[in-house]
């Protein structure tokens, strides 16, 4: 239902994580679970996790493809493309 509601394709491991938890905090990062928020920039970003002092880990939506990948965007405008696997992307952002 969550995936249909948002109309976003999401990494399979993210969806599997929702079976275990619907949110957590780790190393200053907050995983939003089924309560993500949308940011509209040059592309739509569905924020999956956020560190209030650093930036966001988001799923990127494309015009022709639903899921383009995961991206880190700092609040100081640093942008990094991340692995398509949510847990690997989260580890990279949280440096764990």
């Amino acid at each position: 239902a969550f995936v249909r509601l948002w109309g976003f394709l999401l990494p399979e491991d993210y969806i599997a994580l929702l079976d275990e938890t619907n949110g957590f905090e780790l190393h200053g990062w907050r995983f939003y679970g089924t309560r993500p928020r949308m940011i509209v920039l040059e592309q739509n970003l569905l924020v999956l996790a956020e560190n209030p002092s650093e930036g966001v880990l988001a799923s990127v939506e494309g015009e022709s493809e639903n899921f383009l990948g995961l991206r880190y965007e700092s609040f100081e405008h640093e942008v990094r493309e991340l692995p398509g696997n949510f847990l690997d992307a989260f580890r990279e952002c949280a440096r764990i």
Side-chain angles (χ1 to χ4, degrees):
F2 169 75
V3 174
R4 282 192 298 261
L5 172 69
W6 279 98
F8 249 76
L9 288 176
L10 295 165
E12 289 181 25
D13 65 328
Y14 182 85
I15 295 167
L17 188 58
L18 294 176
D19 286 340
E20 302 297 323
T21 183
N22 192 18
F24 62 86
E25 292 189 25
L26 182 65
H27 295 281
W29 284 83
R30 182 165 185 231
F31 164 68
Y32 286 118
T34 58
R35 297 176 307 280
R37 63 186 174 91
M38 181 75 73
I39 298 176
V40 179
L41 298 170
E42 71 278 353
Q43 293 171 307
N44 292 335
L45 302 177
L46 186 65
V47 177
L48 305 177
E50 180 173 10
N51 183 317
S53 63
E54 291 185 31
V56 300
L57 187 158
S59 176
V60 181
E61 179 184 46
E63 289 181 26
S64 60
E65 296 179 53
N66 192 284
F67 173 64
L68 293 181
L70 296 172
R71 178 183 297 164
Y72 168 77
E73 296 228 3
S74 78
F75 296 129
E76 294 161 0
H77 308 295
E78 173 195 353
V79 175
R80 280 187 283 149
E81 300 303 317
L82 297 168
N85 175 299
F86 176 77
L87 293 176
D88 288 344
F90 184 74
R91 281 186 198 104
E92 188 173 316
C93 288
R95 296 173 189 86
I96 53 176

